[in-house]
Amino acid sequence: MHTPLITMLVVGLGLAFILGAVANRLNLSPLVGYLVAGIVIGPFTPGYVADQAMARQLAEVGVILLMFGSGLHFSLADLLSVRKIAIPGAVGQMTLVTLIGLGVAYAIGWPIGAGLIFGLALSVSSTVVVLRSLQDRHQLQSEQGRMAVGWLVVQDIAMILALILLPAFSGVLGGDEATADVAAGGALGFFKPDTLMEALGLTLAKLAAFFALMILVGRRVIPWILHYIAHTGSRELFRLAVLAMALGVAFGASELFGISFALGAFFAGMILAESQLSQSAAQETLPLRDAFAVLFFVSVGMLFDPTVAVREPFLVGMTVLLIVAGNAAAVFAIARLFRHSIQNALALGLTLSQIGEFSFILAGIGVELELLPESGRDLILAGAMISILVNPLLFVAAERLLPRWLKTRETGAPGEQAAEAESPELPQTSLTGHAVLVGYGRVGSLVAQTLGEMGQPYLVIEERSAIAEALRAAGTEVIIGNAAQPDMLEAANVAGARFLISAIPNPFESGNLIERARAANTALDIIARAHSDAEVDYLSKLGANKIIMGEREIARGISEHIIARANPAAEGDLGAPVGAELL
Ligand code: AMP
């Protein structure tokens, strides 16, 4: 292949798209499709084999952008607010799972070093999977989302320490000391530590130096550069600045301070989150981030050798059980200890019950230091792949089973617990004859005002959780999520509604919504927003009764104003100052 990068991008993204769409069609998470796409183009299946090293690097870019994006949703205060559970929680959970892994490895007859790496690899969740799963469930900014991200950060720091200490410990653990020295020298750059304490001290000092640099300097310089670039008015430059900043900080953190790309990018995002530009910065990285995150899953699929499951079915089963049940149970127990509700504890446990990128790195180093047998790495890879595959299914299962389970526990008392048991995203409305308002942005919020003044009952479907939470706090009924997703319209009881107002800008999403709403309710009055004549045609064909084209209304408003100004005698309302007539 003469152009391995282009081929990888085309085949990887293309196949991921096709199989992702198939998975979606089968009501599975598209992640399943991406992973299978990776298996198909991986070295263990016949046919085209993509360049694995390249896939891994592309995946790394995905990790950086994802962590940067989630950093943007976080402030230092958010992170500190969850430290009380995240630090003891993550440390406790990692210790527990590592010990169990060590026990299992001992039973198989592996030496202690192998067991330690095996256990540790099974105890660190995949950042990418956690963030994707929180994003999909719109819970990144919820308390549970904050706890999960705090937990990830602690795991991440623990992992950095482990990666640096392992080579130093390798001799003691029965690994290859000569390799250990080389690896330790490599990991720590120019400095080759003589003693373990020196290595540990140096690592901690580098971590502290990085945090201090980011908080003291990065916090001022990064927003300043972005403000400056924003003033040039060039969107292209702004996008470039955001991207360069995210990648640059991640790279610098790893090269200069020995910190993972992921943690470096997370901090870069968090520093930006303090400035007002963070929202637009986040938007700028979205499309790139999503594309590269897909490549992450493809690259994981490529590592997977399906024959392992046939060769070692029992061990693979044990590994998966340890990852899924072990982590979920440990997190659940710790969260319950900290007095979180059953539902929150379970959701947090499930969120963290898979492994990924760090485990691969750890397994790789373990094999390199001759601490972990090759079969250990295969087990870790197989376990990671399967745990990522089953993770979304576990959520579906929990959402189906948990409400029932909680109800049987609380028989006869449909109090707080029962209300809590219902999925927070999809409470079924009890309204009838109501208006369903989709989108609460510049348009929807003004329409809501009118509905409120008229006394027309309504509910809102909105995907930005910050807006939705604020509305809910103000007493408005809200369904959080993308209205184009299945079940949304049923939850909003469109079949029994009087109006559907589609106040969202994307014509395809709006069209999809209108088509399904019309199918569910032929008498529904559907009012939609459009931005071009083509959109007006499209939406009316799908069943909208009234379509308001934004630009036409703006032009009408401007024209009316000019006419009124030109003929003061003809208009009575000239007293109003310009700009006061918003509606
Ligand atoms: P604006 O363009 O300012 O009126 O904002 C549109 C609003 O609609 C934003 O708050 C979006 O978050 C929201 N929105 C856009 N698409 C969807 C969708 N498919 N489902 C729910 N809310 C949406």
Side-chain angles (χ1 to χ4, degrees):
M1 225 35 98
H2 296 300
T3 50
L5 175 62
I6 297 178
T7 320
M8 165 79 216
L9 282 175
V10 174
V11 179
L13 288 178
L15 204 59
F17 157 61
I18 295 171
L19 295 180
V22 171
N24 191 42
R25 183 78 220 192
L26 299 173
N27 276 338
L28 291 168
S29 158
L31 298 190
V32 176
Y34 308 155
L35 288 168
V36 176
I39 300 182
V40 173
I41 62 170
F44 301 103
T45 46
Y48 166 74
V49 174
D51 185 332
Q52 241 168 323
M54 183 119 49
R56 210 169 316 133
Q57 289 190 25
L58 291 171
E60 196 78 60
V61 179
V63 175
I64 293 179
L65 293 178
L66 258 162
M67 280 305 269
F68 176 70
S70 49
L72 280 170
H73 291 296
F74 265 76
S75 66
L76 211 51
D78 282 336
L79 200 61
L80 291 178
S81 75
V82 294
R83 72 183 183 283
K84 286 208 180 92
I85 176 164
I87 296 176
V91 172
Q93 167 257 335
M94 287 180 81
T95 313
L96 261 173
V97 175
T98 305
L99 286 179
I100 304 177
L102 193 64
V104 170
Y106 183 74
I108 307 173
W110 287 352
I112 238 185
L116 202 62
I117 295 190
F118 183 67
L120 208 53
L122 303 192
S123 74
V124 271
S125 320
S126 160
T127 306
V128 181
V129 177
V130 171
L131 294 179
R132 271 294 313 250
S133 139
L134 288 172
Q135 254 170 29
D136 285 352
R137 288 179 290 125
H138 300 279
Q139 292 202 325
L140 203 53
Q141 278 150 301
S142 66
E143 195 199 350
Q144 185 209 326
R146 280 206 306 272
M147 286 197 308
V149 175
W151 206 288
L152 284 177
V153 169
V154 179
Q155 284 190 346
D156 209 336
I157 294 176
M159 223 45 212
I160 295 166
L161 292 178
L163 288 181
I164 289 177
L165 291 181
L166 257 183
F169 259 125
S170 172
V172 188
L173 292 171
D176 180 359
E177 259 180 278
T179 337
D181 279 351
V182 176
L188 294 171
F190 52 90
F191 187 76
K192 188 175 152 196
D194 290 333
T195 67
L196 185 63
M197 288 321 282
E198 233 173 287
L200 187 61
L202 186 69
T203 308
L204 290 176
K206 281 184 171 184
L207 262 175
F210 173 72
F211 292 149
L213 190 72
M214 285 308 277
I215 288 170
L216 295 177
V217 182
R219 211 174 179 177
R220 299 213 172 89
V221 173
I222 294 180
W224 180 82
I225 297 178
L226 282 185
H227 272 285
Y228 173 79
I229 294 298
H231 285 151
T232 63
S234 163
R235 199 172 289 160
E236 186 177 285
L237 270 183
F238 187 76
R239 271 186 204 143
L240 196 58
V242 173
L243 196 61
M245 219 84 83
L247 295 177
V249 172
F251 188 75
S254 126
E255 287 291 303
L256 301 177
F257 298 95
I259 288 169
S260 67
F261 282 141
L263 200 62
F266 179 78
F267 269 88
M270 216 168 79
I271 295 298
L272 261 186
E274 296 186 3
S275 99
Q276 286 171 350
L277 285 169
S278 72
Q279 270 303 326
S280 54
Q283 302 294 336
E284 302 301 330
T285 57
L286 277 183
L288 262 181
R289 182 188 72 182
D290 292 348
F292 280 102
V294 168
L295 287 175
F296 168 81
F297 289 100
V298 174
S299 80
V300 172
M302 284 177 66
L303 292 171
F304 181 59
D305 176 3
T307 60
V308 142
V310 183
R311 279 185 282 125
E312 306 270 13
F314 177 71
L315 286 182
V316 170
M318 274 300 285
T319 310
V320 173
L321 194 71
L322 230 166
I323 299 171
V324 177
N327 282 310
V331 174
F332 179 82
I334 293 171
R336 286 295 284 164
L337 263 181
F338 280 84
R339 303 188 178 284
H340 285 276
S341 68
I342 293 183
Q343 204 204 12
N344 272 349
L346 187 74
L348 191 63
L350 290 184
T351 306
L352 295 164
S353 68
Q354 28 62 36
I355 61 169
E357 57 276 21
F358 268 125
S359 314
F360 307 150
I361 301 173
L362 203 59
I365 292 191
V367 170
E368 196 180 307
L369 294 174
E370 296 180 13
L371 279 172
L372 186 73
E374 293 260 346
S375 59
R377 181 177 54 189
D378 288 346
L379 281 183
I380 291 173
L381 287 179
M385 166 88 186
I386 298 173
S387 69
I388 294 177
L389 269 177
V390 297
N391 194 256
L393 305 178
L394 289 178
F395 272 100
V396 177
E399 265 159 28
R400 297 247 163 94
L401 294 178
L402 193 71
R404 251 182 264 157
W405 181 51
L406 282 177
K407 260 181 209 140
T408 48
R409 275 169 53 95
E410 304 280 317
T411 26
E416 250 178 67
Q417 289 277 6
E420 205 186 64
E422 268 173 6
S423 161
E425 275 86 62
L426 233 53
Q428 300 282 325
T429 184
S430 54
L431 291 176
T432 50
H434 57 300
V436 176
L437 174 60
V438 183
Y440 195 87
R442 293 160 302 177
V443 177
S445 53
L446 293 174
V447 176
Q449 228 172 5
T450 311
L451 292 173
E453 281 162 14
M454 285 165 57
Q456 162 70 45
Y458 69 96
L459 67 82
V460 173
I461 303 182
E462 168 60 55
E463 64 178 359
R464 278 194 280 175
S465 45
I467 297 182
E469 302 287 358
L471 267 177
R472 194 173 275 172
T476 305
E477 192 171 333
V478 187
I479 301 179
I480 307 181
N482 182 343
Q485 279 169 349
D487 300 346
M488 282 288 180
L489 295 183
E490 288 76 38
N493 187 22
V494 161
R498 185 166 166 209
F499 298 106
L500 174 86
I501 301 129
S502 173
I504 58 177
N506 183 320
F508 291 105
E509 286 181 0
S510 184
N512 167 335
L513 197 74
I514 291 169
E515 196 175 15
R516 284 186 299 135
R518 179 54 76 220
N521 182 344
T522 45
L524 188 68
D525 207 342
I526 303 181
I527 304 116
R529 153 184 181 184
H531 303 275
S532 70
D533 290 333
E535 284 182 28
V536 174
D537 281 351
Y538 177 67
L539 298 180
S540 74
K541 276 201 194 97
L542 291 176
N545 301 86
K546 174 90 184 158
I547 299 154
I548 311 289
M549 209 252 269
E551 282 66 12
R552 215 180 275 162
E553 295 307 311
I554 296 172
R556 192 206 307 266
I558 294 174
S559 307
E560 277 172 5
H561 180 81
I562 294 173
I563 293 169
R565 288 275 155 179
N567 306 309
E571 286 286 330
D573 66 341
L574 270 185
V578 183
E581 306 145 45
L582 248 185
L583 269 175

